[in-house]
Amino acid sequence: MVDSTPRQRNRTEMLRLIRAGQGVTRADLARSTGLSRSAVQAIVSGLLSESQVSELEVEEKGPGTGSGRPGTLLVAVGDPVAGIDFGHNHLHVAIADSFGRLIGDRRIEIDVDLAAEEAMNAAAELLSTLRAEHDVTRLQAVAAGIPGPVDLASGLVQSPTILSGWVGLSPATELGRRIGVPVRIENDAALGALGELYGGAGRNHRDFLYVKASHGIGASLVLGGDLYRGGTGLAGEIGHTHLGGRTELCRCGNRGCLEAVVSVAAVIDQIAHTHPGGDRAAITLESFTDPITERILHESGRILGQVVSDLCNLVNPTAVIIGGELGAAGEAFVQGAEQAIRRYAQPATAAALVVRAAELGNRAELHGALALAARALV
Ligand SMILES: [Zn+2]
């Protein structure tokens, strides 16, 4: 449906904000839309009388209540939604109610890169198990994130060099067929940014950079309060930025790419190298907390931060939010990134910046998928 009047557009935008958030106040809506309190009140009254939204009394300060006093949150009414997060090495599936509150989730380890069909079968099965567990017979919408570039127009996985097992596939069509509900597909870093925008460290920022630092490195931009996808949906592929003087082999066919030097696997290789005698396969980012491991994480963060500092000069964000498994691995990695950003970005740009770990940790992508599924309804 085309929104023909400003009032209809405002109504759609407010419903979108209510559905994507985990409860918002009338004041939040006025701030986000730029509308007057009375205009917001008129539209909210309409939505309440149509049973599109309902009111939720809250006792304590929480996201969206702002004042610290008891308040009234507006929440969307409807069937549950589902989110799917495909990582390079894992699959995470969740169901949330129409208020955006998590009903349940399940995570398995799986090699997503090489086995697209198997990964999509596993996602459909896992979601089906989760629905049975929680007695969810109907889903309103599903959104899924994949760790590679998705063409905005065609919905096809685009790059022959990243996520090679998925190239030419339409995950939305394939997953939709398996699940029986329309599926929206998005790049995983974009979902991480949405997760942080609506329910994490990005709540108070309209211009920020989200970096997913995990088995690969991806970034996503939120500009003016909205996700920026680029001309064809491929913005933020910073993992293959060339690092001068580095020669590490990258899966994309080049040498010295950022994600060949900074990734979970590269960090674990270094940890294994400095802690000989153990089983490489058993080492995780959490295995050691000694100064050597801290130094490895700090240095990896610093290398990432140097690349990100150039982006800060270009975009002038007010926050850099670092997610993924490395973002959640402890303070050393994020501190290393912050140090390099403050060192290499222009001083005035750096002064306006907050650099921090994702508030939702490595669940940001999953929560972003749930937010996108809810957003897709309006
Ligand atoms: Zn590369």
Side-chain angles (χ1 to χ4, degrees), residues 240 250 252 257:
H240 304 276
C250 182
C252 76
C257 292

Side-chain angles (χ1 to χ4, degrees), residues 7-375:
R7 168 138 182 167
Q8 279 171 332
R9 280 198 295 278
N10 289 334
R11 177 188 179 283
T12 301
E13 174 62 8
M14 280 172 46
L15 198 49
R16 183 181 74 78
L17 289 166
I18 294 167
R19 282 184 167 151
Q22 301 191 348
V24 297
T25 64
R26 287 168 172 80
D28 291 333
L29 290 173
R31 207 173 308 120
S32 299
T33 57
L35 294 172
S36 68
R37 294 278 184 117
S38 59
V40 166
Q41 179 55 36
I43 293 172
V44 166
S45 298
L47 292 172
L48 285 167
S49 67
E50 293 164 26
S51 298
Q52 294 270 16
V53 302
S54 70
E55 290 179 302
L56 193 68
E57 298 298 325
V58 288
E59 296 292 323
E60 294 169 5
K61 180 173 179 175
T65 59
S67 63
R69 297 191 302 273
T72 306
L73 297 181
L74 296 161
V75 289
V77 175
D79 288 324
V81 297
I84 301 171
D85 171 34
F86 290 103
H88 284 292
N89 292 59
H90 74 261
L91 167 63
H92 202 166
V93 171
I95 298 175
D97 67 14
S98 66
F99 300 159
R101 293 174 300 206
L102 194 70
I103 294 173
D105 69 306
R106 273 176 171 251
R107 183 183 165 113
I108 57 170
E109 301 298 314
I110 183 172
D111 186 343
V112 165
D113 284 21
L114 298 175
E117 295 282 336
E118 287 85 341
M120 286 192 278
N121 287 339
E125 277 170 34
L126 208 55
L127 181 56
S128 161
T129 306
L130 199 57
R131 285 173 70 172
E133 263 176 24
H134 296 280
D135 224 8
V136 172
T137 50
R138 272 168 49 89
L139 282 175
Q140 285 198 84
V142 179
I146 61 167
V150 185
D151 184 85
L152 207 54
S154 67
L156 299 180
V157 178
Q158 202 59 345
S159 167
T161 54
I162 310 162
L163 216 60
S164 53
W166 291 63
V167 169
L169 280 177
S170 167
T173 309
E174 295 286 329
L175 279 171
R177 191 162 52 75
R178 287 167 173 81
I179 297 169
V181 176
V183 178
R184 173 95 180 260
I185 295 291
E186 188 58 85
N187 170 262
D188 62 344
L191 288 185
L194 279 183
E196 291 293 315
L197 174 66
Y198 291 119
R203 274 197 301 267
N204 298 318
H205 296 275
R206 291 181 60 76
D207 301 278
F208 70 86
L209 194 60
Y210 175 81
V211 180
K212 182 182 177 187
S214 200
H215 293 271
I217 305 276
S220 189
L221 289 161
V222 170
L223 300 178
D226 253 327
L227 205 56
Y228 174 78
R229 292 184 172 81
T232 58
L234 310 180
E237 284 295 330
I238 65 166
H240 304 276
T241 304
H242 181 69
L243 304 176
R246 303 299 298 236
T247 57
E248 284 84 343
L249 283 169
C250 182
R251 61 182 144 177
C252 76
N254 280 338
R255 286 174 178 270
C257 292
L258 173 62
E259 72 173 43
V261 178
V262 180
S263 70
V264 171
V267 167
I268 288 179
D269 278 346
Q270 285 176 284
I271 294 173
H273 182 72
T274 50
H275 297 78
D279 176 9
R280 161 71 173 81
I283 295 176
T284 69
L285 294 174
E286 288 77 37
S287 296
F288 302 97
T289 53
D290 54 285
I292 297 173
T293 305
E294 295 258 302
R295 176 192 258 183
I296 292 166
L297 284 166
H298 191 274
E299 176 62 12
S300 297
R302 211 189 53 74
I303 295 167
L304 172 70
Q306 191 161 354
V307 171
V308 170
S309 66
D310 288 341
L311 303 179
C312 292
N313 286 339
L314 183 68
V315 175
N316 182 209
T318 56
V320 172
I321 300 170
I322 302 177
E325 288 173 52
L326 287 168
E331 288 175 4
F333 185 81
V334 175
Q335 280 172 356
E338 176 166 11
Q339 221 170 66
I341 292 167
R342 300 214 181 281
R343 164 68 182 82
Y344 293 106
Q346 281 301 298
T349 307
L353 256 183
V354 175
V355 181
R356 57 162 300 174
E359 200 172 306
L360 301 172
N362 56 15
R363 297 172 67 89
E365 284 72 24
L366 189 67
H367 283 273
L370 293 171
L372 182 66
R375 239 162 78 118

